[in-house]
Amino acid sequence: MPNDGSRNPHAKKHPVYLQHGLVATCNNFLALQKDSLAFVLWDAGYDVWLGNYRGTYPSEEHVNLTTRDQKFWETSMDDVALIDLPAIFHTILAHSKPDSKIIYIGHSLGTTFALMYASELPDEAKTIIKMFVLLCPAYTLKNMISPYKVFAPFGNWVVDTVRDLRLDRIVSEAQELARLTAPCMESPPLMRLCMQLYNLFYGPKADFGPEIVPVYFRQLPGGTSIQILNHAADLVLGNFRKYNYPPQVNWQKYGSSKAPFLDVSRIEVPTYIVYSTQDWATPEADAIHLYRNLNEKAQYGIRKIDLPFFNHIDFVMGRHARQIVYDPLMEVLNQAIMP
């Protein structure tokens, strides 16, 4: 979403990249129309770039493979963070003013990619990234309240079973996964039931207006790979590391029986965290744990949202997201980019 720079010449020097979370797409940042994060940023004068990580339905094309090839789905968060993000960043800079630096805003798993990238490539990151903004940060998630945590210990077994049965596409492709949420669109009572089930995973109450519920269920699921799901499950087990393959594969890739851990204290990019006390997927204790593990150069600030009706997905879909998150964030960004 290119901007002419007339609203804020300082903003023109800092393009913003938005990265969505697990089984979502960049449409999350557009769902609230003029009050969406993408449009609020554009109104503030920023060039806004919207990313979809590989395996989501806008990113299912490949020069050699199709979604029916098992190899297409053999991708982990390492590929997104350490191959795709650098390519995206250099593409953004190639279309920006000279000496520009990028503001990265991630939600949920979108924050994980940023942390992985800057932990592994800290020198590059501090050169081209102006600031990280992490909404609902997903670092280690040992304090997760969501029922997701029940399935986390079985991630490797699920991957092996899916691979043995060649079901990668069925459990990864958006078109196939959409069959799970399609009933939610059949009637208002089913929508209400689906929202109640949704709240079990993301927080006790959602700040959704009735008009946004069908939008939400039409956008989800966005697709992903079974390996990315398993990699995310590893966070719930308290492990912030590269993808953990079977030991024999780890030896080939990493020279050790287990995947190496990533050190966020290497990050020197100013990092601003926003979290909610009602978030059951990326809870308060884990957000604070991340902030404390950053080094002082990266600790730009941390903000708590303590409201009874604002949970994990409300950061991108909540009816009051603009007032609660986006408008205050604009003040932080405008302060950060001042010469």
Side-chain angles (χ1 to χ4, degrees), residues 55 67 69-75 169 172-173 224-225:
T67 57
D69 294 307
Q70 187 174 18
K71 188 171 178 57
F72 178 91
W73 300 107
E74 292 178 1
T75 183
R169 185 178 69 88
S172 299
E173 189 173 16
T224 191
S225 77

Side-chain angles (χ1 to χ4, degrees), residues 3 7-8 10-11 14 16 18 29 34-48 103-105 131 133 135 272 274 300 303 315 321-338:
N3 210 304
R7 291 171 175 80
N8 185 343
H10 299 303
H14 298 288
V16 177
L18 301 180
F29 300 115
K34 66 181 179 62
D35 291 324
S36 302
L37 180 55
F39 286 108
V40 171
L41 286 160
W42 187 86
D43 282 337
Y46 294 94
D47 278 347
V48 181
I103 294 172
Y104 181 111
I105 303 179
M131 186 180 194
V133 176
L135 308 177
Y272 184 72
V274 187
Y300 190 86
R303 178 176 172 234
F315 278 79
R322 178 166 189 167
Q323 299 96 308
I324 294 169
V325 182
Y326 307 157
D327 288 341
L329 178 58
M330 291 308 106
E331 297 180 15
V332 173
L333 295 185
N334 290 334
Q335 182 70 28
I337 65 173
M338 291 299 291

Side-chain angles (χ1 to χ4, degrees), residues 27 32 47 49 56 60 63 91 98 100 142 175 221 226 239 253 266 317:
N27 288 334
L32 299 174
D47 278 347
W49 295 74
T56 56
E60 288 183 350
V63 292
T91 298
S100 293
K142 294 182 70 173
Q175 184 177 354
I226 186 66
N239 301 314
K253 285 184 170 288
R266 301 180 69 201
M317 296 279 191

Side-chain angles (χ1 to χ4, degrees), residues 156 244-259:
N156 289 332
N244 192 40
Y245 296 91
Q248 64 274 20
V249 181
N250 284 337
W251 276 110
Q252 294 172 0
K253 285 184 170 288
Y254 311 127
S256 60
S257 61
K258 295 182 179 180

Side-chain angles (χ1 to χ4, degrees), residues 145-147 192 194-208 276-283 305-314:
I145 303 167
S146 168
R192 286 194 292 272
C194 287
M195 283 304 302
Q196 290 169 354
L197 293 173
Y198 149 90
N199 286 340
L200 287 175
F201 285 86
Y202 292 114
K205 293 182 180 179
D207 184 36
F208 279 22
S276 169
T277 57
Q278 301 303 307
D279 185 343
W280 286 5
T282 56
I305 295 173
D306 190 11
L307 296 169
F309 59 83
F310 205 81
N311 69 20
H312 187 80
I313 302 297
D314 287 319

Side-chain angles (χ1 to χ4, degrees), residues 76-79 81-82 109 112-113 115-117 119-120 138-141 152-153 155-156 227-228 230-247 250 254 256-264:
S76 72
M77 294 198 296
D78 298 341
D79 299 309
L82 305 178
L109 201 69
T112 313
F113 299 137
L115 294 169
M116 293 177 68
Y117 161 74
S119 296
E120 279 292 277
Y139 170 51
T140 59
L141 299 173
N156 289 332
Q227 278 185 244
I228 287 179
N230 190 30
H231 206 160
D234 205 25
L235 301 177
V236 183
L237 300 177
N239 301 314
F240 188 69
R241 58 182 173 179
K242 292 187 176 181
Y243 187 77
N244 192 40
Y245 296 91
N250 284 337
Y254 311 127
S256 60
S257 61
K258 295 182 179 180
F261 284 82
L262 302 172
D263 183 4
V264 295

Side-chain angles (χ1 to χ4, degrees), residues 1-195:
M1 298 169 58
N3 210 304
D4 62 10
S6 61
R7 291 171 175 80
N8 185 343
H10 299 303
K12 189 64 177 173
K13 286 278 290 183
H14 298 288
V16 177
Y17 176 72
L18 301 180
Q19 182 61 66
H20 63 81
L22 186 64
V23 201
T25 71
C26 72
N27 288 334
N28 277 189
F29 300 115
L30 301 165
L32 299 174
Q33 300 183 54
K34 66 181 179 62
D35 291 324
S36 302
L37 180 55
F39 286 108
V40 171
L41 286 160
W42 187 86
D43 282 337
Y46 294 94
D47 278 347
V48 181
W49 295 74
L50 298 127
N52 293 288
Y53 69 76
R54 62 169 84 183
T56 56
Y57 66 75
S59 302
E60 288 183 350
E61 295 187 6
H62 193 283
V63 292
N64 299 317
L65 304 172
T66 73
T67 57
R68 291 187 174 273
D69 294 307
Q70 187 174 18
K71 188 171 178 57
F72 178 91
W73 300 107
E74 292 178 1
T75 183
S76 72
M77 294 198 296
D78 298 341
D79 299 309
V80 177
L82 305 178
I83 298 174
D84 299 347
L85 282 189
I88 289 168
F89 295 155
H90 289 293
T91 298
I92 292 173
L93 292 175
H95 291 82
S96 302
K97 286 181 173 292
D99 302 320
S100 293
K101 297 185 79 172
I102 298 165
I103 294 172
Y104 181 111
I105 303 179
H107 174 248
S108 192
L109 201 69
T111 70
T112 313
F113 299 137
L115 294 169
M116 293 177 68
Y117 161 74
S119 296
E120 279 292 277
L121 302 170
D123 292 334
E124 177 180 301
K126 70 181 180 182
T127 301
I128 66 174
I129 305 296
K130 176 68 175 179
M131 186 180 194
F132 287 129
V133 176
L134 309 183
L135 308 177
C136 310
Y139 170 51
T140 59
L141 299 173
K142 294 182 70 173
N143 296 287
M144 178 182 280
I145 303 167
S146 168
Y148 280 133
K149 67 179 182 180
V150 175
F151 305 104
F154 305 103
N156 289 332
W157 176 82
V158 171
V159 170
D160 291 342
T161 302
V162 168
R163 288 283 161 79
D164 290 344
L165 297 176
R166 296 191 173 275
L167 292 174
D168 295 69
R169 185 178 69 88
I170 305 301
V171 300
S172 299
E173 189 173 16
Q175 184 177 354
E176 297 295 330
L177 289 171
R179 296 176 184 178
L180 299 176
T181 58
C184 294
M185 301 297 296
E186 290 298 320
S187 67
L190 281 171
M191 284 187 192
R192 286 194 292 272
L193 175 61
C194 287
M195 283 304 302

